[in-house]
Amino acid sequence: MTMRVKDWMRRRPVTISPQETLRTAWRIIREHRIRHLPVVEQGRLVGIVTDRDLRHALPSRAASLEMHEVAFLAEKVRIWEVMARAVVTIHREAPIEEAAHLLLKYRIGGLPVVKGETLVGIITKTDLLRALIHRKQGQAPRQPSRKTARKPRRRSSAR
């Protein structure tokens, strides 16, 4: 039996508008504990922004800017300025092996799932690992919980 993207994707993914700010995107990514944020305008997928895109768009901590200056920049830069416009997507009826192939080929961590130009879900590396484990155990697909295990915080090496 072929496993399909629709069985493992996350439906109703969290999205952002291209007119929103970097600050809003950071808040959404932290709040929902996600790394891929599809950019949607009038129901159409127009781009994607990742946590990495956001980090690259702002000055590093080593920069000589004060915190209020970084916050000011985060409030001024719009998502359309940093989002990827050429988005690799997949159809909900595609086999999950095709999703895995695209993730490896383009070295990305998530694929927006579309029907035409409309976003209907997202499938990530984590979802594919979940599918692989369930296939091995012979279990049926189930929608993932929004709650995930938290990573332990790193301890400071300063003494």
Side-chain angles (χ1 to χ4, degrees), residues 12-18 20 24-25 28 32 34 36-41 45 49 119 121:
R12 295 178 307 281
V14 179
T15 64
I16 194 165
S17 158
E20 288 293 343
T24 301
I28 291 170
H32 293 278
I34 57 178
H36 309 88
L37 194 53
V39 183
V40 176
E41 188 170 46
L45 178 69
V49 67
L119 180 71

Side-chain angles (χ1 to χ4, degrees), residues 66-86:
E66 303 265 340
M67 283 307 292
H68 71 279
E69 293 171 308
V70 174
F72 177 79
L73 282 174
E75 199 55 47
K76 294 299 177 195
V77 177
R78 302 292 173 188
I79 294 303
W80 62 265
E81 297 177 78
V82 298
M83 71 183 192
R85 286 175 172 75

Side-chain angles (χ1 to χ4, degrees), residues 119-136:
L119 180 71
V120 295
I122 191 164
I123 190 160
T124 66
K125 287 180 183 179
T126 302
D127 299 319
L128 293 177
L129 288 172
R130 194 169 38 85
L132 180 63
I133 290 167
H134 279 71
R135 174 187 275 175
K136 180 118 172 116

Side-chain angles (χ1 to χ4, degrees), residues 3-41:
M3 293 198 299
R4 303 275 173 204
V5 167
K6 68 180 178 183
D7 298 324
W8 298 97
M9 70 182 193
R10 294 175 187 263
R11 292 166 177 77
R12 295 178 307 281
V14 179
T15 64
I16 194 165
S17 158
Q19 289 77 30
E20 288 293 343
T21 65
L22 289 187
R23 174 177 270 184
T24 301
W26 268 123
R27 182 187 52 77
I28 291 170
I29 282 176
R30 278 193 321 267
E31 183 179 301
H32 293 278
R33 302 183 64 209
I34 57 178
R35 291 182 296 207
H36 309 88
L37 194 53
V39 183
V40 176
E41 188 170 46

Side-chain angles (χ1 to χ4, degrees), residues 60-158:
S60 81
R61 292 180 181 180
S64 61
L65 294 177
E66 303 265 340
M67 283 307 292
H68 71 279
E69 293 171 308
V70 174
F72 177 79
L73 282 174
E75 199 55 47
K76 294 299 177 195
V77 177
R78 302 292 173 188
I79 294 303
W80 62 265
E81 297 177 78
V82 298
M83 71 183 192
R85 286 175 172 75
V87 183
V88 180
T89 62
I90 195 160
H91 190 272
R92 62 190 309 269
E93 294 296 331
I96 61 166
E97 292 84 2
E98 183 180 334
H101 173 75
L102 290 171
L103 292 176
L104 284 172
K105 179 179 179 181
Y106 293 101
R107 298 182 62 165
I108 54 178
L111 288 168
V113 182
V114 293
K115 184 175 182 181
E117 293 182 343
T118 304
L119 180 71
V120 295
I122 191 164
I123 190 160
T124 66
K125 287 180 183 179
T126 302
D127 299 319
L128 293 177
L129 288 172
R130 194 169 38 85
L132 180 63
I133 290 167
H134 279 71
R135 174 187 275 175
K136 180 118 172 116
Q137 295 173 351
Q139 297 175 350
R142 64 178 179 79
Q143 281 297 303
S145 166
R146 283 281 181 200
K147 295 180 180 181
T148 56
R150 292 187 181 259
K151 293 181 185 175
R153 291 183 184 236
R154 287 191 224 172
R155 290 198 165 164
S156 172
S157 61

